[in-house]
Amino acid sequence: MKLAASIALSHLLSRRRQTLVSLAGIGLGVAFFLAVSALMRGSEQDFMHRLVDNSAHITVYDEFRQAKPQAAELAAAHGAVEIHGVKPETEVRGIRQYKQKLDFVSRLPGLRVAPVLLGQAIFTFAGKDLGAAINGIEPDLMKNVSTIDQYFVSGSLASLHSDPDGIIIGTGLADKFRAKLGDKISVTSPTGLVRVMKIVALFRTGTASYDDGQTFIILKRAQTLLGRPNVANRFILKLDDPARAPVVAGQIERALGYKTQSWQEASEDIMNLVKIRNIIMYSVVAATLIVAAFGIYNVISTVVLEKTRDIAILKSIGFHARDIRRIFLIEGALLGLVGSVLGTGLGLALMAGLARVEVKSPFITTQAFLPIYWGWDQMALAAAFAMGSALVAAYLPARKGGRVRPVDILRGAA
Amino acid sequence: MSTVLRTESLTRVLPGDVPTTLVENIDLEIARGEFVAIMGPSGSGKSSLLYLLGLLDMPTAGQVWLDDTLTTGLSEDHLAHIRLERIGFVFQFHFLLEEFSALDNVMLPMRKLARLTEEEAHDKASELLHTFGLAEQMHKRPSQMSGGQRQRVAVARALANDPQLILADEPSGSLDTHASANVRDILHDLARNQNRAVVAVTHDPTFAQAADRRIFLVDGQLQPPERAAALFEVSVRH
Ligand SMILES: Nc1ncnc2c1ncn2[C@@H]1O[C@H](COP(=O)(O)OP(=O)(O)OP(=O)(O)O)[C@@H](O)[C@H]1O
Ligand SMILES: [Mg+2]
């Protein structure tokens, strides 16, 4: 092994320029692999964090997934009767007996829950009418399940306690009305009730549709305003471990019967996009490494070709075909190894450089940088891939070298 | 006198559109301590015979025994091991590894056999180089040495694992008279004083004169002794 390694090394050192070029190929491949992967995975993590933080982990709706079975169907279970046009019923009255159900859910371990009554209303200020959603909430419960508290420009969820007729609106809506904190705004419900409410707090999340379209009032007020006393039509949940959301959602749905959606289910298309993005990234990056592997193949093929005389000498002395193969495989492995080390160094430098690039984020007002993933697993992956392709690239010429018959060379030379 | 090498109707035909017979029906016996010269016109099959004797090539018919082991039909790896242990080759054109020093070249077979420690191998290699007057050249690369020096390094390498059979293909072919005599004396000494069998191909009658026995090849066929003696007389006169 040591002998094979020293011969391999002598070959690589005797072709210094080619060796350097192929090292550069592997090194750059590994470095780009790392930089791209760090950036993609960093942004994915960042994105997922935001997605998980800013959305409810689980939402319980006052809807059913399937239509209730019809009496005729129950009577003839095996298709003697077929009924068309059955639609799932929307529970107009909201979640029935929501207090007991809320109680049940809040007793499940590792989660927090808040009830919401969601409705629509027309808002009027200074002669201007705009529609928006009204969220009837219990501020003390809501602040446990929502990150909205982070986005207040003035006041907070708790400001609703100070004034029973208080309302919280987004800066988007406020700008459209040219309304300020403390202004009184009239709210008309679909049932025709009108109530004048005072703006007690303002939020700005950076998502226009949210800042323009969502308002918060006390649950009790919402119930009277919307004409649905003692009703809530949503439960919003946060879990200690967001990954468990699908399991917990299933558990709740089985117990309550209402459609219960985990954040994974709600953002399935986004998750699919992330998956596709990852596939594209890894294929592009793998391609750079494969190109680098061709460089290695090239070097080792040339060495085998140039060193057929040496191979003949070694074999005539008594080296086996596998000894010869080993020499060239070691050459490939050396190129792969040194290339990976150089590439990892360069890749880390690139990552450090990228991590200093500043970006403007609508969510964050403080300084923000490109999100970089620093995990060692991607370095291991890059190095393993580089080593693997180097060995594969070296294998073909190595096998050819092992097959050289010394007599053929000796006859040719004589 | 114990036999080191024996062949029986050794024949090698190169396949092809027009098959070429390299050597035909060679019966040969070489004993320990014997120095044999193979002579013959160019293209008569001397090198081809040597490759067969050295187990580098496989005969199309006939057998080669080495120390009473029938080598014909053994696997390539097995033959490689026999070469490593028992046969030393010196080629017409000093086949040395260009990137390795003289010392490393001589150590190569010992390292491969791995019976000696690195240190022992080093000592033995430098001793061999000393005997051949190459103490000064030990750390030089082949490209930094003269042809005669290189040929002596090749002989030293052939002796590295103490083979009982040494095969040399025109070891003095590219050397001047002085260097040639030097290599010849070395080979002669190996047979006479170290009891090894030495088979050397040569065109040089002076060289052949030093051998215990001369065999003649013409068109791949071994000539009978009286004819060989006559042919040798002719070559000496030229
Ligand atoms: N690769 C080959 N293909 C076809 N014929 C070959 C090949 N190699 C050698 N020969 C032929 O085989 C015969 C024997 O060649 P060999 O090299 O053994 O001769 P030689 O006696 O060593 O000659 P020289 O004294 O010139 O070295 C020659 O006639 C040669 O033309
Ligand atoms: Mg020849």
Side-chain angles (χ1 to χ4, degrees), chain A residues 414, chain B residues 47 92 169-170:
Chain B
S47 298
Q92 186 165 2
D169 194 355
E170 301 189 36

Side-chain angles (χ1 to χ4, degrees), chain A residues 410 414, chain B residues 41-48 51 92-93 169-170 201 203:
Chain A
L410 294 169
Chain B
S42 183
S44 56
K46 305 182 294 293
S47 298
S48 305
Y51 301 151
Q92 186 165 2
F93 304 96
D169 194 355
E170 301 189 36
V201 170
H203 279 297

Side-chain angles (χ1 to χ4, degrees), chain B residues 3-236:
Chain B
T3 303
V4 175
L5 184 74
R6 186 160 65 84
T7 70
E8 207 175 278
S9 0
L10 202 59
T11 300
R12 172 68 160 119
V13 180
L14 271 188
D17 293 337
V18 187
T20 318
T21 304
L22 301 179
V23 291
E24 207 175 355
N25 276 320
I26 306 281
D27 292 308
L28 203 59
E29 208 163 304
I30 288 159
R32 208 171 284 282
E34 206 178 9
F35 180 13
V36 179
I38 300 181
M39 300 187 74
S42 183
S44 56
K46 305 182 294 293
S47 298
S48 305
L49 176 60
L50 213 60
Y51 301 151
L52 288 168
L53 299 184
L55 312 183
L56 281 171
D57 197 10
M58 317 250 194
T60 31
Q63 287 95 30
V64 178
W65 276 270
L66 196 70
D67 285 335
D68 292 325
T69 316
L70 176 63
T71 61
T72 312
L74 293 180
S75 75
E76 217 175 289
D77 282 354
H78 198 153
L79 292 177
H81 191 73
I82 294 178
R83 284 202 296 276
L84 181 65
E85 246 189 330
R86 306 199 226 162
I87 303 176
F89 249 106
V90 182
F91 298 105
Q92 186 165 2
F93 304 96
H94 50 81
F95 273 82
L96 300 175
L97 293 190
E98 287 299 326
E99 280 99 20
F100 280 50
S101 68
L103 190 71
D104 283 329
N105 264 290
V106 177
M107 284 173 75
L108 211 52
M110 298 189 244
R111 281 180 168 154
K112 172 57 196 155
L113 191 61
R115 274 199 195 134
L116 301 179
T117 64
E118 186 70 11
E119 217 168 293
E120 288 165 344
H122 181 279
D123 291 348
K124 187 169 176 190
S126 68
E127 202 183 297
L128 276 168
L129 289 170
H130 264 100
T131 11
F132 296 152
L134 292 165
E136 307 290 305
Q137 325 297 327
M138 208 124 82
H139 298 289
K140 283 190 183 167
R141 290 186 174 199
S143 57
Q144 298 162 322
M145 290 185 275
S146 77
Q149 290 169 337
R150 277 182 263 183
Q151 200 59 285
R152 280 180 280 157
V153 174
V155 177
R157 188 180 65 195
L159 298 177
N161 286 333
D162 293 319
Q164 65 266 61
L165 177 64
I166 290 129
L167 303 171
D169 194 355
E170 301 189 36
S172 58
S174 53
L175 305 181
D176 65 21
T177 338
H178 179 72
S180 167
N182 185 250
V183 172
R184 182 193 63 209
D185 293 344
I186 290 168
L187 293 177
H188 197 221
D189 177 69
L190 286 171
R192 187 84 6 108
N193 299 325
Q194 298 190 35
N195 205 30
R196 314 206 205 181
V198 177
V199 181
V201 170
T202 184
H203 279 297
D204 177 1
T206 337
F207 194 104
Q209 196 97 60
D212 302 320
R213 185 149 63 100
R214 285 154 291 278
I215 57 179
F216 251 89
L217 276 184
V218 175
D219 287 339
Q221 308 215 352
L222 208 57
Q223 302 303 302
E226 51 290 2
R227 173 123 183 83
L231 283 168
F232 180 63
E233 286 307 315
V234 174
S235 75
V236 171

Side-chain angles (χ1 to χ4, degrees), chain A residues 74-304:
Chain A
L74 289 175
H78 296 293
V81 182
E82 194 175 312
I83 300 168
H84 289 284
V86 179
K87 294 198 180 72
E89 170 184 14
T90 308
E91 187 61 274
V92 284
R93 277 167 301 183
I95 298 171
R96 283 186 217 191
Q97 296 176 312
Y98 86 87
K99 282 188 178 142
Q100 280 103 303
K101 287 175 179 144
L102 190 68
D103 219 37
F104 165 78
V105 173
S106 63
R107 269 205 289 270
L108 294 174
L111 56 76
R112 285 139 289 151
V113 58
V116 173
L117 176 61
L118 183 67
Q120 297 292 322
I122 308 285
F123 294 77
T124 312
F125 182 77
K128 201 171 183 182
D129 296 331
L130 286 170
I134 281 192
N135 293 269
I137 58 163
E138 292 187 19
D140 297 334
L141 293 178
M142 193 63 181
K143 74 167 191 285
N144 294 331
V145 300
S146 164
T147 47
I148 185 79
D149 247 356
Q150 297 170 12
Y151 300 114
F152 277 96
V153 178
S154 54
S156 70
L157 279 177
S159 305
L160 288 176
H161 289 309
S162 62
D163 188 340
D165 274 327
I167 185 166
I168 297 169
I169 68 173
T171 49
L173 194 61
D175 288 348
K176 285 186 180 167
F177 281 132
R178 300 186 184 286
K180 305 183 302 294
L181 196 68
D183 283 347
K184 299 221 160 124
I185 193 165
S186 51
V187 184
T188 312
S189 81
T191 56
L193 271 174
V194 181
R195 199 166 273 259
V196 174
M197 305 195 92
K198 187 175 140 196
I199 300 172
V200 292
L202 289 168
F203 62 83
R204 197 181 97 83
T205 61
T207 308
S209 63
Y210 201 88
D211 295 345
D212 289 359
Q214 300 292 325
T215 66
F216 297 90
I217 62 175
I218 293 281
L219 180 60
K220 273 255 150 45
R221 276 282 170 278
Q223 287 166 342
T224 32
L225 184 65
L226 297 169
R228 297 161 81 179
N230 292 316
V231 164
N233 56 8
R234 294 273 193 285
F235 290 167
I236 293 179
L237 284 82
K238 280 273 186 203
L239 306 189
D240 296 339
D241 176 10
R244 277 182 61 234
V247 180
V248 178
Q251 201 180 340
I252 294 174
E253 180 156 344
R254 271 192 305 281
L256 304 187
Y258 287 107
K259 176 176 159 187
T260 305
Q261 209 174 37
S262 63
W263 65 270
Q264 287 95 330
E265 187 188 347
S267 31
E268 206 177 299
D269 36 350
I270 295 179
M271 306 282 275
N272 278 336
L273 275 181
V274 167
K275 216 178 277 171
I276 291 171
R277 207 180 73 137
N278 281 347
I279 292 173
I280 294 173
M281 163 188 92
Y282 281 112
S283 12
V284 168
V285 171
T288 57
L289 282 177
I290 287 171
V291 170
F294 274 103
I296 290 189
Y297 173 82
N298 198 28
V299 178
I300 294 176
S301 297
T302 323
V303 173
V304 168

